[in-house]
């Protein structure tokens, strides 16, 4: 569509005797198809020409000379609406897609640039809760989006594997460790130990003292406690990895908070040297303009904070990855933390790099009645249980439909997990999400299974046609035969895919792709309900198959970016 946009800009520029580059960015894409393919608002010109926008639009329209691809121009309330000849659009888009095939989305935009994405980041010895699922799913989608644009992306699982609570867990483990089966049920055991020790500490001062001593020892890297901590970490990770495996998520780095234990002194020193810290009630803080709360770097007992560790991590990421962007995906509860951290980061990584750090917040996950799903609820029902339930239910649905695939378990997994991911990415991330398994598993409506089902339809049409793929994946087809309304609408929408991915990257908003792929699926559904694809007329059949193939490829690409697999049967 880019070339048509240029042509439109050219035509306007000529009429106005201006430079094309001044015009191009002003050109919009009308929301309503009735308003044409491009629109040019004349409001800004009103001042310059001292005339009403409507009058200016009329005058420009008069001066526009016929050109190769512009079919007509209309004036509607201060806008010039441009209609491109459908046949030309269809030919140009289809040619490009069919020529590039699976490489259609390839981009070099990000070549040579590193993007760090910090996502998932559960806290060891605690359950992987539903908020971490959101971070994982949104983070992975953003990872894939940047990857598609050609960036070198580094996925970082910044584990919450440090903090005073480990002093307490270690104390409990020393006392009662043998009563628990850590190997079998690590997180449940560690949570139980924590709760029990915390309870006991209320009665017994020595537990608290020991816990503090344990944490100090851990900070100093003393062998016995470090061994225990390592064990807790490894066992927790093993449990998380089962979830990552179900979701198909991997990371390039697992450097968590503990990794920065010996790297915080440098941060404190830098802030001291730059004279930006002040003492406040015994703590060391950086005061921030416009923020009521100062940012705490050292607590009054001298220990560091979550922010101090994040600053150390930021500096490390600058050194190791020289990032073009450093993205953090967490719930909106951490907005204040990141706002403060980024402000202090200016002193640590410099203004330039601090500007490249982005917090990507998301909303809460709510249960059916809009109630908050709490972490505590997550102890009895783990996230793994929820994922497995989605998989089992998908299998039941398939069986109810009388499906007897050999690989029914694998397909159920793709549907169940895909449904959860899709639901997570369906709306603007900042919105709270309703988690209702029954709704998200429906095969119709705006769901993952619906889009997967449309993918399967495209695939089965291509197979049923028995036409050799070289025949419809060919550039020598007569694309102008695609002139039905449903065909033109689908093709125009397909051509937006690259622009959608770019926008999703700029806004850190995977839901743009989710909404887009829903549109593609429903436009395709309209098309194949109205028109036969496998028909007598071979030339027409071939171009129609080419369109089915283009749809198939683009749905697949989009779902893959979202982290969702495409089953080949459903
Ligand atoms: N572990 C934290 C939590 O569960 C999230 C960490 C996010 N990343 C960061 N660099 N602070 O809330």
């Amino acid at each position: 569509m880019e070339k048509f946009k240029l042509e439109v800009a050219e035509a306007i520029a000529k009429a106005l005797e201006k430079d094309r580059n001044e015009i191009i960015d002003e050109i919009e894409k009308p929301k309503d198809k009735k308003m044409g393919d491009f629109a040019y608002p004349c409001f800004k010109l009103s001042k310059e020409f001292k005339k009403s926008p409507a009058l200016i639009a009329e005058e420009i329209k008069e001066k526009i000379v016929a050109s190769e691809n512009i079919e007509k121009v209309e004036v509607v309330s201060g806008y010039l609406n441009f209609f491109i000849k459908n046949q030309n659009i269809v030919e140009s888009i289809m040619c490009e897609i069919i020529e590039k095939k699976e490489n259609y989305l390839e981009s070099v935009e990000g070549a040579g640039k590193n993007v760090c994405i910090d996502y998932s980041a559960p806290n060891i010895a605690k359950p992987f809760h539903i908020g971490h699922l959101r971070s994982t799913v949104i983070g992975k989608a953003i990872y894939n989006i940047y990857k598609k644009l050609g960036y070198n992306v580094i996925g970082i699982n910044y584990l919450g594997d440090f903090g005073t609570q480990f002093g307490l867990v270690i104390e409990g483990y020393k006392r009662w460790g043998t009563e628990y089966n850590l190997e079998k049920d690590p997180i449940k055991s560690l949570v139980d130990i924590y709760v029990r020790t915390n309870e006991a500490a209320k009665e017994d001062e020595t537990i608290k003292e020991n816990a503090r001593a344990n944490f100090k020892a851990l900070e100093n890297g003393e062998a016995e406690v470090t061994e225990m901590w390592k064990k807790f970490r490894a066992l927790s990770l093993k449990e998380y990895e089962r979830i990552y495996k179900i979701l198909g998520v991997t990371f390039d780095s697992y450097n968590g908070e503990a990794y920065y234990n010996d790297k915080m002194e440098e941060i404190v020193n830098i802030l001291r040297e730059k004279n930006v810290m002040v003492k406040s009630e015994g703590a060391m803080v950086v005061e921030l303009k416009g923020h009521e709360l100062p940012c705490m770097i050292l607590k009054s007992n001298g220990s560091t904070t979550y922010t101090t560790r994040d600053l150390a991590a930021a500096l490390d990421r600058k050194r190791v990855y020289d990032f073009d962007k450093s993205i953090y995906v967490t719930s909106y509860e951490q907005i204040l933390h990141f706002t403060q951290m980024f402000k202090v980061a200016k002193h640590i990584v410099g203004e330039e790099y601090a500007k490249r750090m982005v917090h990507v917040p998301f909303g809460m996950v709510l249960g059916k009645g809009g109630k908050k799903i709490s972490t505590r609820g997550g102890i009895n029902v783990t996230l793994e249980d929820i994922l497995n339930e989605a998989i089992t239910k998908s299998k039941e649905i398939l069986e109810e439909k009388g499906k007897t695939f050999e690989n029914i378990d694998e397909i159920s997994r793709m549907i169940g997990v895909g449904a959860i991911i899709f639901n997570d990415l369906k709306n603007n991330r900042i919105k709270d999400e309703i988690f209702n398994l029954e709704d998200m598993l429906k095969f119709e409506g705006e769901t993952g299974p619906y889009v997967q089902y449309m993918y399967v339809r495209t695939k089965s049409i291509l197979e049923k046609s028995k036409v050799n793929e070289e025949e419809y994946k060919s550039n020598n087809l007569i694309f102008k035969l695609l002139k039905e309304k449903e065909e033109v609408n689908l093709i125009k929408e397909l051509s937006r895919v690259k622009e959608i991915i770019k926008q999703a990257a700029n806004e850190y908003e995977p839901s743009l792709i989710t909404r887009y792929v829903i549109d593609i699926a429903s436009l395709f559904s309209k098309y194949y309900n109205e028109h036969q694809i496998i028909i007598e007329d071979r030339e027409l059949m071939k171009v129609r198959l080419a369109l089915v193939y283009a749809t198939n490829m683009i749905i697949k690409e989009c779902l893959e970016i979202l982290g969702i697999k495409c089953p080949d049967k459903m």
Side-chain angles (χ1 to χ4, degrees):
M1 288 302 273
E2 208 45 37
K3 87 170 197 211
F4 301 118
K5 192 174 174 181
L6 278 176
E7 191 176 319
V8 167
E10 189 76 55
I12 301 168
K14 267 204 191 126
L16 285 170
E17 292 172 16
K18 281 184 188 273
D19 188 60
R20 189 175 74 181
N21 295 331
E22 269 178 65
I23 310 290
I24 188 102
D25 292 332
E26 302 275 308
I27 296 178
E28 300 169 6
K29 184 188 163 1
K31 290 232 160 60
D32 186 350
K33 285 189 194 81
K34 285 188 216 92
M35 299 297 182
D37 298 298
F38 299 103
Y40 180 70
C42 298
F43 309 98
K44 280 196 191 155
L45 297 173
S46 189
K47 246 196 195 148
E48 189 181 333
F49 295 113
K50 302 204 170 49
K51 285 181 200 163
S52 76
L55 193 61
I56 297 170
E58 280 300 343
E59 287 178 6
I60 301 175
K61 187 186 160 188
E62 291 310 311
K63 284 194 204 146
I64 283 177
V65 279
S67 74
E68 192 192 342
N69 296 302
I70 298 172
E71 165 126 49
K72 61 173 177 179
V73 188
E74 279 176 0
V75 172
V76 180
S77 40
Y79 278 93
L80 275 166
N81 292 339
F82 289 82
F83 294 76
I84 305 295
K85 290 176 192 154
N86 278 339
Q87 186 186 320
N88 300 17
I89 292 190
V90 164
E91 275 185 337
S92 129
I93 296 170
M94 287 303 291
C95 266
E96 199 192 334
I97 298 180
I98 297 300
E99 187 184 297
K100 301 211 173 120
K101 303 185 187 63
E102 274 69 24
N103 301 325
Y104 180 61
L105 272 73
E106 224 155 69
S107 162
V108 290
E109 185 187 308
K113 290 183 188 153
N114 292 342
V115 171
C116 295
I117 306 191
D118 175 317
Y119 64 108
S120 196
N123 304 315
I124 68 162
K126 283 194 195 161
F128 190 105
H129 63 71
I130 200 133
H132 294 127
L133 175 73
R134 268 211 106 173
S135 173
T136 309
V137 166
I138 295 173
K140 186 65 191 184
I142 296 176
Y143 181 104
N144 292 338
I145 289 168
Y146 275 88
K147 193 116 205 149
K148 245 310 110 139
L149 292 173
Y151 289 86
N152 177 39
V153 195
I154 303 108
I156 302 172
N157 195 344
Y158 182 72
L159 289 175
D161 54 5
F162 210 65
T164 46
Q165 76 275 17
F166 290 105
L168 208 63
V169 181
I170 290 170
E171 187 56 24
Y173 182 70
K174 280 184 186 168
R175 291 178 181 231
W176 309 296
T178 49
E179 294 173 33
Y180 297 85
N181 190 345
L182 241 67
E183 305 290 332
K184 185 172 164 278
D185 233 338
I187 290 175
K188 188 177 179 311
S189 307
L190 289 167
V191 170
D192 288 347
I193 292 175
Y194 176 76
V195 172
R196 180 172 173 184
T197 319
N198 210 18
E199 220 26 64
K202 285 179 190 157
E203 314 276 296
D204 187 346
E205 255 318 300
T206 57
I207 294 187
K208 274 187 217 157
E209 276 163 32
N210 290 351
R212 273 192 289 271
N214 288 336
F215 183 63
K216 258 269 133 321
L218 187 62
E219 275 186 310
N220 296 336
E222 284 170 32
E224 192 199 359
V225 289
T226 306
E227 277 317 305
M228 289 180 193
W229 170 83
K230 272 193 185 155
K231 181 172 172 168
F232 303 159
R233 187 183 191 272
L235 289 172
S236 304
L237 207 54
K238 219 167 124 190
E239 200 163 326
Y240 303 144
E241 249 147 21
R242 286 209 303 270
I243 296 174
Y244 295 140
K245 197 165 168 228
I246 300 176
L247 294 170
V249 172
T250 54
F251 297 91
D252 305 297
S253 162
Y254 276 97
N255 287 346
E257 292 184 47
Y259 179 78
Y260 297 98
N261 183 27
D262 63 354
K263 297 173 181 61
M264 284 181 287
E265 210 181 297
E266 185 182 2
I267 302 302
V268 177
N269 288 341
I270 296 174
L271 294 175
R272 235 181 225 130
E273 267 162 36
K274 298 203 170 168
N275 232 343
V276 285
M277 278 197 302
V278 294
K279 215 175 187 123
S280 164
E281 293 169 37
M284 294 305 283
V285 304
V286 177
E287 279 172 333
L288 301 167
K289 269 184 250 134
H291 285 270
E292 283 171 33
L293 295 172
C295 180
M296 203 195 295
I297 304 296
L298 289 175
K299 295 184 195 165
S300 52
N301 65 7
S303 60
T304 56
T305 65
Y306 181 50
T307 313
T308 328
R309 292 192 279 282
D310 250 330
L311 290 166
L315 182 58
D316 184 55
R317 288 172 196 175
K318 174 188 168 181
R319 284 177 181 155
V320 178
Y321 305 113
D322 187 24
F323 56 79
D324 191 64
K325 256 179 212 252
S326 185
I327 300 168
Y328 300 81
V329 186
T330 79
S331 93
Y332 58 54
E333 289 168 312
Q334 297 195 30
I335 288 181
L336 178 64
H337 163 72
F338 283 104
T339 316
Q340 292 193 323
M341 198 271 276
F342 293 168
K343 291 207 166 171
V344 182
K346 280 186 203 159
H347 304 296
I348 305 291
V349 295
E351 193 95 34
E352 205 40 59
Y353 281 83
K355 267 195 236 149
R356 303 179 187 181
M357 292 161 64
V358 193
H359 181 217
V360 174
F362 55 79
M364 295 290 157
V365 183
L366 304 175
K368 270 182 200 164
K371 285 205 204 91
K372 193 172 165 181
I373 300 180
S374 70
T375 318
R376 204 150 297 137
I379 294 175
N380 300 323
V381 187
T382 67
L383 197 71
E384 203 179 338
D385 295 336
I386 296 179
L387 288 165
N388 284 327
E389 191 186 338
I391 296 169
T392 316
K393 282 211 168 126
S394 304
K395 190 171 169 183
E396 281 165 18
I397 294 171
L398 287 175
E399 282 168 347
E400 268 165 37
K401 291 182 191 282
K403 310 285 180 183
T404 52
F405 312 128
E406 238 174 66
N407 56 346
I408 191 160
D409 286 326
E410 192 192 343
I411 292 182
S412 310
R413 209 171 309 129
M414 291 179 178
I415 298 173
V417 176
I420 288 182
I421 298 177
F422 197 90
N423 182 66
D424 221 337
L425 298 175
K426 196 165 87 177
N427 296 315
N428 280 356
R429 59 179 153 73
I430 201 69
K431 282 196 188 164
D432 289 342
E433 164 198 327
I434 304 289
F435 194 92
N436 181 343
L437 211 48
E438 209 175 302
D439 282 350
M440 57 180 107
L441 284 174
K442 288 194 175 129
F443 276 42
E444 61 288 319
E446 301 180 340
T447 65
Y450 168 71
V451 178
Q452 286 172 325
Y453 185 71
M454 280 306 147
Y455 168 81
V456 170
R457 286 272 67 76
T458 56
K459 198 170 153 61
S460 76
I461 293 167
L462 295 175
E463 277 159 16
K464 265 195 209 129
S465 77
K466 302 232 160 51
V467 176
N468 225 322
E469 63 172 16
E470 290 88 63
E471 279 189 70
Y472 59 77
K473 288 187 190 175
S474 156
N475 238 337
N476 302 323
L477 305 178
I478 314 163
F479 290 120
K480 64 176 177 215
L481 295 175
L482 294 169
K483 51 185 172 216
E484 300 293 347
K485 183 173 88 224
E486 292 79 9
E487 291 170 334
V488 175
N489 289 344
L490 176 58
I491 292 169
K492 282 187 183 174
E493 198 62 20
L494 288 175
S495 80
R496 292 180 63 215
V497 64
K498 290 192 246 181
E499 152 200 334
I500 296 283
I501 293 172
K502 260 197 200 170
Q503 197 188 344
N506 289 340
E507 296 174 18
Y508 313 98
E509 190 59 89
S511 68
L512 290 169
I513 299 176
T514 322
R515 313 294 319 172
Y516 170 77
V517 78
I518 293 173
D519 288 345
I520 294 292
S522 62
L523 284 172
F524 177 75
S525 152
K526 275 191 198 122
Y527 172 45
Y528 101 115
N529 281 329
E530 293 288 323
H531 304 281
Q532 287 225 259
I533 289 156
I534 304 174
I535 43 174
E536 284 290 305
D537 179 342
R538 197 148 177 102
E539 285 312 310
L540 185 58
M541 171 162 74
K542 281 200 286 189
V543 281
R544 288 190 169 175
L545 288 173
L547 177 54
V548 175
Y549 161 71
T551 310
N552 170 282
M553 185 271 287
I554 286 175
I555 293 182
K556 185 169 190 202
E557 288 278 343
C558 288
L559 288 182
E560 271 173 3
I561 289 176
L562 298 174
I564 299 170
K565 297 209 169 82
C566 290
D568 50 10
K569 292 186 219 89
M570 232 173 124

